Amino acid sequence: MYRRPDVSATVPDTSALNEFEHALGADRVITSEDDLREWRDPFQFDSWDEYTASAVVMPESVEEVQEVVRIAGRHGVPLWTHSQGRNNGYGGPAPRVSGSVIVSLRRMNRVLEINEECAYAVVEPGVRWFDLYEALQAGGHKLMLSIADLGWGSVIGNTLDHGITYLPYGQDQQMQCGMEVVLADGSVMRTGMGALPGGKAWNVYKRGLGPTVDQLFMQSNYGIVTKMGVWLMPEPECYHPVWVRASRDSDLEPLVNTLRRLMLDGTIRGVPQIINTVLFGSMMSSRDQWWTGAGPIPDDEITRMGRELDIGRWMLRCALYGDEAVVDHQFAKLRAAFGAIDGVDVWGSKHAPADIPSLENPHERVMGGVPNLDLNQMTGWYGGEEGGHIGFSPIAPLTGRDASELRDLMRGMLAEAGLDYMASLLPVSARSFAHITMVIYDTKNEQQVRSAFDVSKRLVEQAAKQGYGEYRAHLDFMDLAARQYSWNDHAYMRFCETIKDAVDPRGILSPGKQGIWPKSMRGN
Amino acid sequence: MYRRPDVSATVPDTSALNEFEHALGADRVITSEDDLREWRDPFQFDSWDEYTASAVVMPESVEEVQEVVRIAGRHGVPLWTHSQGRNNGYGGPAPRVSGSVIVSLRRMNRVLEINEECAYAVVEPGVRWFDLYEALQAGGHKLMLSIADLGWGSVIGNTLDHGITYLPYGQDQQMQCGMEVVLADGSVMRTGMGALPGGKAWNVYKRGLGPTVDQLFMQSNYGIVTKMGVWLMPEPECYHPVWVRASRDSDLEPLVNTLRRLMLDGTIRGVPQIINTVLFGSMMSSRDQWWTGAGPIPDDEITRMGRELDIGRWMLRCALYGDEAVVDHQFAKLRAAFGAIDGVDVWGSKHAPADIPSLENPHERVMGGVPNLDLNQMTGWYGGEEGGHIGFSPIAPLTGRDASELRDLMRGMLAEAGLDYMASLLPVSARSFAHITMVIYDTKNEQQVRSAFDVSKRLVEQAAKQGYGEYRAHLDFMDLAARQYSWNDHAYMRFCETIKDAVDPRGILSPGKQGIWPKSMRGN
């Protein structure tokens, strides 16, 4: 019953490109082959060109986005939208359908409003974590932004892909409030209380009257988001990053179970990570320091690596935010709870919010809302000129049982492919975690790249069989990942397709995004 | 551009009723005029019959719901679904289109799962707050449920109407996770991770792969929800209800501003209420103790009432949940913050969770998750045999300015209609509040009922002009309320209609719900 897409590369006709140039100016329509190379997945093997755009258009205003959509509609040109296109590990800026015209919103980069009283901002899609952070500093606002690990990403782009951030509003990805969206017919809609002309609660109340449609525009292809409200957290009296180090592989289970209890009772309000030795070590060292033999690093060498780098077998990072007296209580509670696991160390120290930018450890800056790029180093793990990675990220209940089941599954299948197991278990909130598996490889080694993509696809299917679905899927296996969600003859996908056909009957908006194809490309 | 619905009462043909009887048994298809009276708005004037069903069907399983939908589809019979139908103040169980067949889900009342480890339950639509609470007690679970003021409502029904509850998961109405839905074609869909066969994260992770559609089934008519996950909170060490009493009407502004700061910084994690003298007093006394003259109770008498009942001009209720040391710190902080307002008193006391059921004050039981019906008394305010109320509930930013602007608007317009201003300001989370205006009247006094409906409608329009839209609308003015959300030529409503026409082309599911009409009834 699941219909395979019947897609071939498309090339927009010259008259469409002329119209884009007429609407935006020639300098904002990129078509040269050389320039277009920059808009491909940076982590694919270089000579592969399955996902290459035919042009990139760069609107600077909502009106220009509307005009681009109208031109695409008239000419039947598939568009592929991103905000910054920093979707590394999931396909970067590249389009699903070769020949699509990329709509890059990088030039729509204004912070439109910062409201100190109600603690929110309104941004355009091109605004990066760096930009919004800088705007908050420049305005002297005592407000913190929940950010992702790498500061170059778009606030809107990350949100629309269900991206995870680490401060308290990162829990359940809850910081978005209110959207403006350009629809496939070129019209503009505001969601929630923004649908009320002059509505005062657009960016403070998450719903409206009637169904809430905001999440319909995340991980989908139903519209182009042009504005979004972002909730900010008032600076607490005290910021306290916390580190927990466990020395044995088998400590994962008690670590996860303890963490769940501390998140359920509200002691930990941010989003932690539990990072394994190899992933954590890859940010501090190079692989050949540890292993130059064939296949993945053996277990004994991992133990040695953990010991010599002082990172054990698992490192848990999290942070506390609040009044100093409360943070003291919470830290003591964390120390007692994790410390009850044999051989576990717990440490961390208190800081005033003003001191966060000068913290040496980039993890502690990230959890403190200060964006940076320091954690990007790991992709050079296998040596070679340029490292790359695929993010394979199934979701599981936050229990020790599920954590070890997924660890065993990933580690075993990656080892068969000759790759190291590099993982971060990332609780989205108290009840579930994303098992972010970084499938890392040398992008110049074609055989290794192929092997990494192949094993990732096998992992998608095997994890699904065991009840774990991906929270976000790489361009190259979006269809495969979506196909796993097949309950009752793919009822969910059929519902998504029904909406797609209704709101974008010509199928011009990001066809194939997350496995959702318009009728014209479904091949039946 | 906004299209008025072209609706007239419909009556299903006999063959449709026969088919319902065949599918469910005659005892679960109610058609006698006497029995049907119970399924009308209990708060309308008795002889009005604009919103009367022609039949009520009571399925007991998902398969029966599917069968009901298929029969309705074949015969073009409009259905009107509710879970318990306790939508008092917003139309009760009555359908928008007279002659509709009510699908009452009261008999689908099983608690399907309680998961202690990950702290959630899965329920059917007929499960009331009472039922789920009792199931938790019966199973010996140390888990608390965020409940509404009246325990007779359905957990699912309240959630689907964006209903507000008071424990921490009440903030941003965030306790729902995972749904099963019967669609208009009679098929069944599971959302989020439930779309994965055997998916383990259905009720622990709020999204899936692709767009999240759960909120599409709230305040809408796109499907019939048959199962839902509900997050529960582990019992804290300490429960501490808090009362704040302000003696002057003008204290509202500092009260609201202080509350916002305490919610933004996470000190208050539940959902408070700020209740005015007349509403609070109506739960403790009868109106004729205070005023028997013409028109609304004069200001001086309200001050006297506040003094004599010890409730001042505003009563703020909230609660703290957590470790005793943290709760102590938070209560001291609350007392200092609110106590800085001249003449304000702050009190409350700590309890172990096991003691909550025996607390005398019903508010304290509600905020402690123990359902009751004690707060239902106010609707008898005007004496007479049977009191009724309309809920008029616009949303505003949680600022003192907005609070006093709405207070002045409501109070002034209600006074012109000869009615008392009875209000609860209810912060949905740290940034916005619903100004729940209880328009209370004697249902046996036709002129008073008419006056209450008329002024409510004028309030809808005037509040919208000032930027405040309703969060939920009474059956009798759903269209009017929806019409206020007209930004860019009703772009949001047109989007909702596009989805309606796609997912329910025959227009059989709850036509008119929240102002969303199927094509066949839009009259163009």
Side-chain angles (χ1 to χ4, degrees), chain B residues 395-406:
Chain B
I395 295 280
L398 188 60
T399 76
R401 277 188 321 285
D402 291 287
S404 52
E405 183 175 337
L406 271 174

Side-chain angles (χ1 to χ4, degrees), chain B residues 290-510:
Chain B
W290 311 106
W291 183 247
T292 52
I297 309 184
D299 206 63
D300 285 352
E301 296 303 314
I302 294 173
T303 299
R304 179 172 71 91
M305 185 177 169
R307 202 172 49 235
E308 292 185 16
L309 292 176
D310 273 338
I311 56 175
R313 289 300 297 249
W314 300 100
M315 285 287 279
L316 185 155
R317 77 175 209 198
C318 66
L320 303 167
Y321 312 81
D323 292 349
E324 188 168 358
V326 174
V327 164
D328 285 343
H329 173 87
Q330 290 170 330
F331 182 63
K333 191 172 176 181
L334 283 188
R335 190 152 52 185
F338 287 116
I341 307 167
D342 196 32
V344 159
D345 296 302
V346 183
W347 69 95
S349 55
K350 295 184 278 188
H351 305 281
D355 296 335
I356 299 172
S358 52
L359 293 176
E360 197 186 342
N361 186 326
H363 295 276
E364 299 187 350
R365 274 178 275 135
V366 166
M367 292 187 292
V370 179
N372 60 74
L373 291 175
D374 297 3
L375 299 177
N376 202 26
Q377 194 194 328
M378 61 187 143
T379 47
W381 183 236
Y382 286 99
E385 284 168 70
E386 285 175 47
H389 72 273
I390 298 169
F392 171 70
S393 314
I395 295 280
L398 188 60
T399 76
R401 277 188 321 285
D402 291 287
S404 52
E405 183 175 337
L406 271 174
R407 175 202 56 199
D408 294 346
L409 170 65
M410 307 287 143
R411 187 161 59 188
M413 289 182 71
L414 286 165
E416 282 172 30
L419 293 166
D420 295 331
Y421 168 64
M422 304 170 78
S424 165
L425 284 67
L426 206 160
V428 183
S429 59
R431 292 168 180 79
S432 66
F433 71 99
H435 187 294
I436 310 283
T437 319
M438 304 293 277
V439 184
I440 291 184
Y441 49 88
D442 173 6
T443 59
K444 301 297 182 192
N445 177 341
E446 182 166 13
Q447 190 259 324
Q448 201 176 46
V449 184
R450 176 54 60 207
S451 181
F453 277 87
D454 287 348
V455 71
S456 296
K457 292 175 191 178
R458 289 196 301 275
L459 282 168
V460 169
E461 293 189 281
Q462 188 54 42
K465 275 188 196 139
Q466 295 180 214
Y468 306 111
E470 275 216 281
Y471 100 101
R472 184 176 183 179
H474 190 286
L475 201 65
D476 195 49
F477 45 86
M478 277 183 178
D479 288 308
L480 180 70
R483 209 182 306 148
Q484 309 307 313
Y485 290 76
S486 64
W487 192 83
N488 195 20
D489 193 17
H490 301 272
Y492 167 71
M493 179 52 77
R494 284 183 285 126
F495 186 79
C496 291
E497 289 174 351
T498 300
I499 293 180
K500 178 66 176 171
D501 294 343
V503 303
D504 180 17
R506 297 215 50 180
I508 54 167
L509 299 181
S510 299

Side-chain angles (χ1 to χ4, degrees), chain A residues 117-119 162 169 188 195 200 207 210-211 219 232 260 323 329 333 401 431 466-467 485-488 492, chain B residues 117-119 162 169 188 195 200 207 210-211 219 232 323 329 333 401 431 466-467 485-488 492:
Chain A
E117 189 177 32
C118 287
H162 294 176
Y169 289 126
V188 193
K200 291 176 180 164
R207 301 182 178 188
Q219 287 204 351
L232 305 165
R260 182 187 65 253
D323 293 348
H329 173 88
K333 191 171 176 180
R401 274 187 324 283
R431 292 169 179 78
Q466 295 180 214
Y485 290 75
S486 64
W487 192 83
N488 195 19
Y492 167 71
Chain B
E117 189 177 32
C118 288
H162 293 175
Y169 289 125
V188 194
K200 291 177 180 163
R207 301 180 178 189
Q219 288 205 351
L232 305 165
D323 292 349
H329 173 87
K333 191 172 176 181
R401 277 188 321 285
R431 292 168 180 79
Q466 295 180 214
Y485 290 76
S486 64
W487 192 83
N488 195 20
Y492 167 71

